[in-house]
Amino acid sequence: MGSVAYPFPETTDFSAFLLKAQASGAKVIAFLGAGTDFVNAVKQAQEFGIMKSGKRFVGLTGYINSVMALGLPTAQGLTQTETFYWDLNPRTRAFMDRVRGQLPPNTFPCHNHAGDYAGLLHYLKAAAQIGVARAKASGRETVAAMQAMPTDDDAFGAGTIRKDGRKLHPTYLFLVKTPAESRGPGDVYKVLAETSAEKSFRPIAEGACAMAKA
């Protein structure tokens, strides 16, 4: 139905862009931005009654951190995509149990934080397999070992690394809960859909990565 770009960074008033989207007749308004921009846009969308009008507001780069900053009374009804949620399954809950004591109260990792953990863990597994001396001597050999090994961790479960370096794992479409549905801090998402690892990322043939051609 249309699109509009906002000046980045330092935009704090999204009213003109939101009102244009609201008037477009679109059933879904998708916001491609994160952090403070996303928080401000959602707050203003709620003020204009966009969600209450029946339109779906989607965060294309959603983070649980933004949902926590907004609070469920404001964030409820948002649709977001993430690759990790601490309360997704027994393994993600086990991961959260291990790191909870090292985090400030009511702080929950997003998929970026989980990705840092999973990437480092897989590197350490590869270094252990080929030997620390070889891993230190050759980054290329270490990367080759990482690609040859299947990935497996509590944040993302089983996965693989493609020849172009892309890590493959499922992605999830989440709906932010209402305050009444939440059982406590951090209980913010309901799973609407799961997309398989094979369908979650751009096919390697459509990329232009030189690593894939080596």
Side-chain angles (χ1 to χ4, degrees), residues 173-206:
L173 182 66
F174 294 113
L175 179 68
V176 177
K177 292 182 175 182
T178 66
E181 292 172 321
S182 176
R183 297 165 297 171
D187 180 28
V188 299
Y189 284 148
K190 292 190 293 186
V191 179
L192 293 182
E194 176 181 343
T195 303
S196 68
E198 294 73 22
K199 295 182 178 180
S200 290
F201 301 93
R202 181 178 62 186
I204 192 170
E206 294 180 9

Side-chain angles (χ1 to χ4, degrees), residues 31-32 35 37 39 44-45 59 64 93 100 116-117 121 137 145 154 164 168-169 185 189 213:
F31 187 85
L32 184 55
D37 287 351
V39 169
Q44 291 167 35
I64 191 174
R93 287 189 283 274
R100 191 187 305 272
D116 290 340
Y117 158 80
L121 178 63
D154 284 346
D164 61 350
L168 303 180
H169 47 249
Y189 284 148
K213 302 173 184 178

Side-chain angles (χ1 to χ4, degrees), residues 28 38-40 51-52 82-83 110 112 115 123 137 145 150 159 161 164-165 184-185 197 208:
V28 177
F38 182 71
V39 169
N40 287 335
M51 286 73 151
K52 292 181 180 179
E82 289 212 55
T83 54
C110 69
N112 283 355
Y123 164 78
I161 300 177
D164 61 350

Side-chain angles (χ1 to χ4, degrees), residues 107 155 197 214:
T107 300

Side-chain angles (χ1 to χ4, degrees), residues 104-192:
N106 295 334
T107 300
F108 297 85
C110 69
H111 53 237
N112 283 355
H113 305 126
D116 290 340
Y117 158 80
L120 179 57
L121 178 63
H122 192 65
Y123 164 78
L124 293 173
K125 289 179 179 178
Q129 183 182 76
I130 67 174
V132 174
R134 288 173 63 188
K136 291 174 68 175
S138 175
R140 185 179 295 274
E141 188 173 354
T142 306
V143 169
M146 293 175 69
Q147 291 177 327
M149 295 171 58
T151 63
D152 192 19
D153 57 76
D154 284 346
F156 301 99
T160 57
I161 300 177
R162 227 165 41 182
K163 188 177 181 181
D164 61 350
R166 174 78 71 181
K167 167 68 164 58
L168 303 180
H169 47 249
T171 56
Y172 302 92
L173 182 66
F174 294 113
L175 179 68
V176 177
K177 292 182 175 182
T178 66
E181 292 172 321
S182 176
R183 297 165 297 171
D187 180 28
V188 299
Y189 284 148
K190 292 190 293 186
V191 179
L192 293 182

Side-chain angles (χ1 to χ4, degrees), residues 87-111:
D87 200 20
L88 186 64
N89 56 51
R91 294 192 70 179
T92 58
R93 287 189 283 274
F95 168 75
M96 186 64 198
D97 287 342
R98 291 199 303 276
V99 303
R100 191 187 305 272
Q102 303 175 53
L103 301 174
N106 295 334
T107 300
F108 297 85
C110 69
H111 53 237

Side-chain angles (χ1 to χ4, degrees), residues 35-46 51 57 63-76 78 80 176:
T36 303
D37 287 351
F38 182 71
V39 169
N40 287 335
V42 172
K43 286 180 177 179
Q44 291 167 35
Q46 288 283 20
M51 286 73 151
F57 199 92
Y63 294 92
I64 191 174
N65 318 77
S66 297
V67 174
M68 299 295 292
L70 285 162
L72 291 184
T74 301
Q76 61 182 317
L78 284 174
Q80 298 201 144
V176 177

